[in-house]
Amino acid sequence: MAAINVAVAGASGRMGRMLIEAVLASGDCRLTGALDVAGSAALGQDAGAALGRTSGVAVTADLERGLAGADALIDFTRPEGTMAHLAACRAQGVAMVIGTTGLTPAHEAAIAAAAQALPIVRAPNMSVGVNVMLRLLAQAARALGPGYDIEVIEAHHRHKVDAPSGTALAMGQVLARATGRRLEDCAVYAREGVTGERPEGAIGFATLRGGDIVGDHTVLFAGTGEPGDHPSQQQPRQLRRRQPARGALPAGSRCRPLRHGRRARAERSARDLSAGAGRAAPRIRP
């Protein structure tokens, strides 16, 4: 099979560099575009320069140029950037793999509308391990039942701009669905002062920011008279950053057949990604 032509958004960012590294190391993907914001010091430079490599692809802020020839754009940027990329991809018929977090309901609606015509794979965390953990959390919540209080605790580096993290919110959504609720109706995002007793059935969130923490997520199931269980994502920082990058590439490869002659519901959720944990890539059903 011919290589997948991939463009990467946010080329000079932490995840952008990791994604470019993953594409360059891949045997079945070819880097054809690297996008960054206007004014970035990386514009005009080779996309592999920060990695000590030569890719032959110059970083550009020109969306049309950066997407030319691409089968898919991998976007782990910010909501405003993702919306601009979404419009450009729709205009040029380029599929998208979206790992951006902090999206509002309006952003979600725009992505869902674009997915009617454009192959889109989206999840707040592309790591296969994290998506398997989401499945396990649902099982634990159903097994433990209403007698356990649920708290989601997450920690990230000081530069992260949204809170709670997309992965923490995905955990909350899974936990709420597993117990027959809507997260919007039971989430508690902040506590201060005299709060009164913990509301029955609440799912609480605690957010920590500091240093260069790549991302730690813990779910606490607290029952009466026994210690809480803590399904947790805790791995070496470089591994944690590489896992979503590696997971994004097979997601992009699944977009290509949809782009060439098949109509599909292409937007996928973290729940759907976890179903593909034992295979080479998450599935997109035609």
Side-chain angles (χ1 to χ4, degrees), residues 28 34 56 59 67 69 77 110 118 122 141 159 163 177 236 268 283:
D28 55 5
V59 179
L67 293 174
T77 59
L118 189 72
R122 185 182 63 83
H159 303 291
R177 281 197 301 266
R268 308 303 293 162
R283 293 180 296 124

Side-chain angles (χ1 to χ4, degrees), residues 183-235:
L183 185 62
E184 295 83 354
D185 298 332
C186 60
V188 176
Y189 295 112
R191 297 183 179 100
E192 182 180 7
V194 180
T195 62
E197 294 186 1
R198 189 184 196 279
E200 184 175 350
I203 296 177
F205 290 82
T207 297
L208 309 177
R209 294 287 179 266
D212 63 352
I213 303 170
V214 175
D216 285 321
H217 296 84
T218 299
V219 175
L220 170 67
F221 292 93
T224 302
E226 56 181 287
D229 295 317
H230 307 71
S232 178
Q233 174 207 358
Q234 295 181 350
Q235 303 143 340

Side-chain angles (χ1 to χ4, degrees), residues 87-104:
C89 284
R90 194 167 186 177
Q92 293 181 235
V94 177
M96 288 190 75
V97 176
I98 301 175
T100 303
T101 59
L103 298 170
T104 67

Side-chain angles (χ1 to χ4, degrees), residues 15 18 21 237-247:
M15 275 305 304
M18 199 66 72
E21 181 181 25
R237 65 188 304 273
Q238 287 301 318
L239 177 60
R240 270 176 280 163
R241 198 175 288 287
R242 283 191 171 90
Q243 283 182 333
R246 290 172 178 165

Side-chain angles (χ1 to χ4, degrees), residues 1-243:
M1 180 182 288
I4 308 296
N5 292 331
V6 174
V8 173
S12 66
R14 295 178 186 82
M15 275 305 304
R17 290 195 298 269
M18 199 66 72
L19 288 165
I20 288 170
E21 181 181 25
V23 173
L24 294 178
S26 170
D28 55 5
C29 292
R30 179 191 301 115
L31 186 69
T32 60
L35 296 169
D36 215 337
V37 295
S40 169
L43 295 181
Q45 297 182 12
D46 189 278
L51 305 169
R53 301 184 59 177
T54 300
S55 69
V57 175
V59 179
T60 180
D62 185 325
L63 296 183
E64 184 176 356
R65 178 182 173 189
L67 293 174
D71 293 309
L73 172 69
I74 303 178
D75 186 337
F76 281 63
T77 59
R78 296 188 180 184
E80 59 273 17
T82 297
M83 290 300 102
H85 301 153
L86 182 69
C89 284
R90 194 167 186 177
Q92 293 181 235
V94 177
M96 288 190 75
V97 176
I98 301 175
T100 303
T101 59
L103 298 170
T104 67
H107 296 146
E108 301 277 7
I111 292 171
Q116 300 305 309
L118 189 72
I120 294 176
V121 177
R122 185 182 63 83
N125 194 311
M126 293 286 174
S127 165
V128 173
V130 168
N131 285 285
V132 170
M133 182 175 64
L134 294 176
R135 282 290 183 96
L136 297 176
L137 286 175
Q139 292 179 17
R142 285 192 291 266
L144 293 172
Y148 285 74
D149 296 326
I150 302 174
E151 296 283 323
V152 180
I153 304 103
E154 61 99 345
H156 277 83
H157 53 82
R158 63 169 63 187
H159 303 291
K160 187 165 179 61
V161 297
D162 58 299
S165 71
T167 300
L169 290 172
M171 289 175 168
Q173 292 282 5
V174 164
L175 292 163
R177 281 197 301 266
T179 51
R181 294 172 288 168
R182 296 187 337 133
L183 185 62
E184 295 83 354
D185 298 332
C186 60
V188 176
Y189 295 112
R191 297 183 179 100
E192 182 180 7
V194 180
T195 62
E197 294 186 1
R198 189 184 196 279
E200 184 175 350
I203 296 177
F205 290 82
T207 297
L208 309 177
R209 294 287 179 266
D212 63 352
I213 303 170
V214 175
D216 285 321
H217 296 84
T218 299
V219 175
L220 170 67
F221 292 93
T224 302
E226 56 181 287
D229 295 317
H230 307 71
S232 178
Q233 174 207 358
Q234 295 181 350
Q235 303 143 340
R237 65 188 304 273
Q238 287 301 318
L239 177 60
R240 270 176 280 163
R241 198 175 288 287
R242 283 191 171 90
Q243 283 182 333

